Amino acid sequence: MNPGTPRTPDDQDRQARQQEELALLAAYFLSSARRLLQEPSAYALYRLMDGARRVLALHEDGGGACSDLVPVRAALDDLMHQAPNENRDYAALLDGMCRQMATALRTPPSGTAATAPAS
């Protein structure tokens, strides 16, 4: 959106919701950090995955949807709705998600042409 373009009420509502979600996410991270002082250390894995899931959802809701990131958020959604499983290979799951994230972040968004740096 251009700075000179007036914002519509829908834009203002969406921005207000995003700001609230960001504040709630910060509160979630802080309260999680505090609770981890008493909880088993394995809970940190789920708290961090849930935080990543929530950030990706905010990214999508803010119009930054990248089709390469959707499967990462979907996989995190699935994990958050499953019971912890000590036999699950979390290292392999997280390695795969990290690779997907790295690929998505290296790839220019669709619809934008890569430009050569000015010389």
Side-chain angles (χ1 to χ4, degrees):
M1 180 177 288
N2 291 333
T5 304
R7 292 189 175 172
T8 66
D10 288 342
D11 290 337
Q12 292 170 340
D13 289 345
R14 183 177 47 206
Q15 185 178 15
R17 283 191 309 272
Q18 287 174 339
Q19 294 301 315
E20 181 180 8
E21 286 298 318
L22 286 170
L24 290 171
L25 185 57
Y28 172 78
F29 281 128
L30 286 173
S31 65
S32 292
R34 177 60 183 99
R35 289 193 318 234
L36 284 171
L37 295 172
Q38 285 85 31
E39 292 177 339
S41 61
Y43 284 21
L45 171 68
Y46 272 85
R47 293 196 187 283
L48 289 170
M49 289 190 304
D50 189 37
R53 180 191 63 80
R54 291 173 67 174
V55 168
L56 289 173
L58 280 170
H59 185 262
E60 288 177 30
D61 290 346
C66 170
S67 61
D68 293 335
L69 294 178
V70 172
V72 176
R73 190 206 29 81
L76 289 166
D77 280 341
D78 289 344
L79 281 171
M80 293 298 101
H81 292 97
Q82 297 174 14
N85 182 340
E86 63 187 41
N87 296 320
R88 185 175 289 135
D89 188 353
Y90 287 103
L93 286 169
L94 291 168
D95 286 346
M97 286 185 224
C98 287
R99 280 191 295 279
Q100 285 179 289
M101 290 285 302
T103 299
L105 294 172
R106 279 195 302 258
T107 305
S110 61
T112 59
T115 58
S119 38

